[in-house]
Amino acid sequence: MRLPAFFAISATALFAACAGTPDPGHNPNGTWIGALVTDQGTCPTERSSTLRIRGREILFTPADGSQVLHGTYTPGNQHYHAELAMTDLNHHPTAAVFNGYPVGQAIGGIFGSPSCRAHITMTRN
């Protein structure tokens, strides 16, 4: 096989593979992984965080720990929201919240809790 033909075939295969990855703005279903970056406070940055969107269900697990934030996805909506209601030590209601949005082929977002504010960029796993 000639070298130019090989490169043409390789480039076509690469573009076809890239075209097969759905844009999160149109199809966010799947598992997304990224690391929280602390903006303020003390955030769980020791491990990657996971966002799962499956059908109408949204789950966000900061630092893949024991807290799981839940939300509902509306098809066509380019906003991904999940939260976990909690009670602080003084028995006052509080929450951990994730708000995400598509950024090119990734999902960006903000995570907030009483002790943390962080941003994150996640790629499809």
Side-chain angles (χ1 to χ4, degrees):
M1 179 181 280
R2 290 180 157 170
L3 196 56
F6 175 74
F7 285 122
I9 292 170
S10 297
T12 303
L14 177 65
F15 291 135
C18 291
T21 304
D23 175 2
H26 294 96
N27 180 4
N29 284 299
T31 301
W32 301 82
I33 307 269
L36 288 170
V37 177
T38 302
D39 295 323
Q40 184 177 11
T42 304
C43 299
T45 58
E46 63 277 359
R47 292 184 305 271
S48 294
S49 297
T50 303
L51 172 69
R52 287 186 182 86
I53 302 175
R54 186 176 45 232
R56 297 182 52 87
E57 180 182 48
I58 296 174
L59 301 173
F60 180 74
T61 310
D64 288 341
S66 61
Q67 291 183 333
V68 179
L69 288 66
H70 295 264
T72 303
Y73 173 67
T74 303
N77 189 357
Q78 294 193 7
H79 178 238
Y80 319 115
H81 176 85
E83 63 183 69
L84 174 64
M86 302 181 293
T87 304
D88 68 13
L89 294 174
N90 295 321
H91 305 288
H92 296 113
T94 187
V97 178
F98 170 78
N99 284 299
Y101 45 85
V103 180
Q105 290 296 312
I107 291 180
I110 302 292
F111 170 73
S113 72
S115 61
C116 164
R117 179 172 170 82
H119 64 276
I120 188 169
T121 301
M122 296 171 283
T123 56
R124 198 182 298 262
N125 187 14

